[in-house]
């Protein structure tokens, strides 16, 4: 894989290979990326994605060039195009991790880049490495991925993490989704058409309570304030679906609650010590899977 822009690029075999490598990297020290440089270009805020990629690169022996708030602090603020920025960064780094508010930005970057570009979230498009760590969490926490029933809750229209995991689970067998949202924030047709083509069954509902009782995985998501046309519109939906301890306690034994984080009230803190809550562990799994991804994409490449 030269660039990673969307989850559809993976096969089950490549996912298995990546996850086995992530398992090994948890146990074995590895400094095989000594001499390599990661450039992280973030035009939107981030805590987990940027830090976990940067930490992963450093733990593998590599170095990091880091640009946060790139819309203000890079020459994009003077009007430089993403293509020109990427062409220039190609001279300074071996791999680029890019977060950008525009859907399709990572594809634009990949077109002009001779070094690998990883999409770290492009607007309401995709967040493929989030989906990888979500899937890796399921792989680590449940007996198997095939056959699971997952509820995806919240902002399915603008949530790139929700879109990406739906695409990725399309590669597995006998998956069933319950898509919980208000009618205005339903999953878009491109994802639903993909699921139908891949024989993944799903239903759409507004009822959180019923879904939580029957599923193996609850994927709670944040309402994406930054994607709404106005604050008033966002406030109509914020707080619509909140998981509290009563709902968590009603889940099946062994079922898990995941969330890409940050949360802004949609999971009460009283849920954090529930045996079902794995969302903080999920952030650690993200570090492992990003380590495996960097090693895979940079292995054998000369600096
Ligand atoms: N889940 C996620 O992308 O988190 P950050 O925005 O903190 O990177």
């Amino acid at each position: 894989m030269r660039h990673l822009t969307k989850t559809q690029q993976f096969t089950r075999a490549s996912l298995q290979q990546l996850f086995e490598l992530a398992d090994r990297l948890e146990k074995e020290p590895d400094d095989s990326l000594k001499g390599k440089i990661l450039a992280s270009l973030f035009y939107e805020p981030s805590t987990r994605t940027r830090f976990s990629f940067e930490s992963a690169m450093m733990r593998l022996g590599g170095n990091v060039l880091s640009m946060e708030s790139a819309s203000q602090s890079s020459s994009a603020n003077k009007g430089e195009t993403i293509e020109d920025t990427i062409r220039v960064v190609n001279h300074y780094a071996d791999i680029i991790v890019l977060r950008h508010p525009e859907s399709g930005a990572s594809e634009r970057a990949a077109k002009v880049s001779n070094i690998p570009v990883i999409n770290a979230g492009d607007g309401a498009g995709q967040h493929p490495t989030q989906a990888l760590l979500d899937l890796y969490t399921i792989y680590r926490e449940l007996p198997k991925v095939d056959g699971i029933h997952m509820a995806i809750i919240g902002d399915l229209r603008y949530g790139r993490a929700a879109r990406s995991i739906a695409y990725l689970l399309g590669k597995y067998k006998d998956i069933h989704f319950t898509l919980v949202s208000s009618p205005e924030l339903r999953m878009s047709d491109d994802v639903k058409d993909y699921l139908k083509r891949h024989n993944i069954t799903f239903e759409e509902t507004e009822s959180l309570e019923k879904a939580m009782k029957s599923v193996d995985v609850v994927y709670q998501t944040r309402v994406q304030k930054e994607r709404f046309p106005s604050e008033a519109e966002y406030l109509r939906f914020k707080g619509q679906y909140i998981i509290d301890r009563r709902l968590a306690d009603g889940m099946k034994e062994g079922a898990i609650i995941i969330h890409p984080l940050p949360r802004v009230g949609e999971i009460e803190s009283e849920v954090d010590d529930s045996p079902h809550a794995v969302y903080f562990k999920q952030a650690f799994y993200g570090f492992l899977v990003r380590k495996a991804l960097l090693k895979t994409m940079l292995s054998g490449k000369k600096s």
Side-chain angles (χ1 to χ4, degrees):
M1 185 188 305
R2 186 143 170 259
H3 306 288
L4 171 56
T5 58
K6 56 186 183 184
T7 48
Q8 295 92 310
Q9 288 174 250
F10 288 97
T11 61
R12 280 190 67 149
S14 64
L15 289 165
Q16 187 62 30
Q17 236 176 357
L18 189 76
F19 293 169
E20 284 171 12
L21 177 58
D23 291 345
R24 282 204 302 281
L25 288 172
E26 183 178 7
K27 297 181 191 99
E28 297 164 12
D30 184 321
D31 64 356
S32 57
L33 296 190
K34 211 165 165 201
K36 303 283 188 199
I37 296 175
L38 163 83
S40 60
L41 283 175
F42 278 64
Y43 293 77
E44 283 191 330
S46 168
T47 299
R48 279 146 290 272
T49 310
R50 190 164 70 90
F51 269 18
S52 62
F53 263 120
E54 293 183 359
S55 175
M57 190 63 179
M58 291 183 203
R59 294 284 189 210
L60 288 165
N63 289 300
V64 171
L65 292 172
S66 187
M67 177 89 77
E68 61 168 337
S69 308
S71 302
Q72 285 80 45
S73 63
S74 79
S75 286
N77 196 23
K78 302 177 206 162
E80 186 170 62
T81 64
I82 186 77
E83 283 84 358
D84 283 0
T85 302
I86 296 296
R87 284 185 185 106
V88 171
V89 174
N90 263 245
H91 295 303
Y92 310 143
D94 299 289
I95 191 163
I96 294 170
V97 175
L98 174 71
R99 173 169 288 188
H100 198 279
E102 185 190 303
S103 180
S106 65
E107 304 267 3
R108 281 175 57 194
K111 270 194 190 127
V112 298
S113 186
N114 294 317
I115 62 173
V117 172
I118 297 176
N119 178 3
D122 60 337
Q126 280 218 20
H127 192 352
T129 66
Q130 179 65 48
L132 283 181
L133 77 91
D134 298 338
L135 182 58
Y136 184 61
T137 303
I138 297 166
Y139 159 92
R140 291 285 298 254
E141 295 291 323
L142 295 184
K144 61 185 174 62
V145 178
D146 285 322
I148 62 164
H149 180 184
M150 178 192 258
I152 313 182
I153 301 156
D155 181 357
L156 311 187
R157 178 176 173 194
Y158 296 115
R160 59 195 177 196
R163 291 167 52 76
S164 298
I165 190 66
Y167 272 123
L168 201 55
L169 278 170
K171 308 211 170 278
Y172 287 79
K173 286 195 202 118
D174 303 323
I175 304 294
H176 182 66
F177 287 114
T178 299
L179 304 174
V180 184
S181 73
S182 62
E184 294 89 340
L185 297 184
R186 280 200 181 139
M187 191 67 90
S188 58
D189 286 342
D190 62 327
V191 179
K192 288 192 280 193
D193 290 344
Y194 179 89
L195 296 178
K196 284 177 200 158
R197 281 201 308 279
H198 289 79
N199 299 319
I200 304 292
T201 54
F202 64 89
E203 76 260 342
E204 297 177 290
T205 175
E206 291 178 59
S207 167
L208 171 64
E209 181 137 8
K210 188 161 163 253
M212 290 223 25
K213 286 185 184 143
S214 57
V215 299
D216 304 297
V217 182
V218 167
Y219 193 176
Q220 174 68 306
T221 67
R222 175 177 67 92
V223 178
Q224 306 280 300
K225 182 180 183 186
E226 61 276 32
R227 312 276 174 238
F228 279 82
S230 70
E231 173 94 5
E233 186 80 352
Y234 161 69
L235 291 173
R236 274 181 60 209
F237 300 105
K238 182 181 160 40
Q240 200 169 29
Y241 294 111
I242 295 177
I243 297 177
D244 59 14
R245 188 65 194 226
R246 185 188 62 82
L247 283 174
D249 287 347
M251 289 174 69
K252 281 192 334 195
E253 195 181 333
I256 57 172
I257 304 171
I258 61 174
H259 189 307
L261 303 178
R263 64 174 161 182
V264 285
E266 60 278 347
I267 300 178
E268 299 277 13
S269 56
E270 64 189 15
V271 179
D272 295 355
D273 63 358
S274 156
H276 301 291
V278 297
Y279 31 89
F280 289 115
K281 215 195 246 188
Q282 189 183 349
F284 170 64
Y285 290 147
F287 162 72
L288 294 179
V289 95
R290 285 175 175 135
K291 226 171 148 183
L293 189 66
L294 289 175
K295 186 172 164 68
T296 303
M297 291 181 80
L298 284 170
S299 280
K301 289 198 166 60
K302 291 199 167 33
S303 299

